[in-house]
Amino acid sequence: MEPITLAYIGVGLMLALSGIGSAYGVTIGGNASVGAMKKNPDQFGSYLMLSALPGTQGLYGFAAFFVFLNFGDALNPETIGWLQASGVFGAGLAVGLAGLFSAIRQGQVAANGIAAVGAGYDVAGKTLILAVFPELYAIVAFAAAFMINGAIG
């Protein structure tokens, strides 16, 4: 196996896992929104905002891929060594797993807030604040990938 293969496996994990997490997270929020609209359809804007939050983790996965592709030399097949490939693989795995689990958990927090808003409680803003906490870990993983790229690129 060539080093570039390991690096691209890492990139694939980064994109796939963070995207899968976002798909699950927005689905959890969307399902809660449909249920809440049956009770209170006037709060659709709040439901939409909270349902869309878990979609950002997929963007972090894509942004990290963009960083590796365009900044530095980490994905150059002619110069990549095992150290660089291992760095890309590790960063990809970290961003992917952080994106996967944080998006699912963020969707669950948002779903609880959506249900409460649907029941008549004014908690959309507070839910938004609480739902950001799981996302912080995806941001930390993205920042780590950026720093890894700087160290190996």
Side-chain angles (χ1 to χ4, degrees):
M1 179 166 75
E2 297 293 322
I4 193 70
T5 305
L6 179 63
Y8 273 107
I9 290 171
V11 168
L13 288 171
M14 178 169 49
L15 292 168
L17 293 176
S18 62
I20 290 168
S22 285
Y24 271 102
V26 297
T27 300
I28 292 167
N31 286 337
S33 295
V34 171
M37 281 189 286
K38 294 176 185 173
K39 296 178 182 174
N40 188 356
D42 296 334
Q43 294 295 321
F44 179 74
S46 295
Y47 306 150
L48 179 66
M49 172 188 64
L50 293 171
S51 295
L53 275 179
T56 55
Q57 279 83 348
L59 297 176
Y60 296 142
F62 182 75
F65 168 61
F66 184 80
V67 166
F68 278 108
L69 190 63
N70 293 305
F71 299 103
D73 211 22
L75 289 179
N76 184 343
E78 298 190 16
T79 61
I80 190 169
W82 285 107
L83 177 66
Q84 290 85 10
S86 299
V88 173
F89 178 81
L93 189 61
V95 170
L97 288 175
L100 173 70
F101 290 113
S102 68
I104 292 170
R105 291 302 190 178
Q106 188 175 48
Q108 292 169 335
V109 172
N112 284 327
I114 289 166
V117 171
Y121 296 99
D122 184 22
V123 295
K126 292 174 184 168
T127 301
L128 182 66
I129 293 168
L130 293 172
V132 168
F133 292 138
E135 185 160 344
L136 291 176
Y137 295 97
I139 293 171
V140 167
F142 173 73
F146 190 83
M147 292 188 296
I148 289 170
N149 184 55
I152 64 173

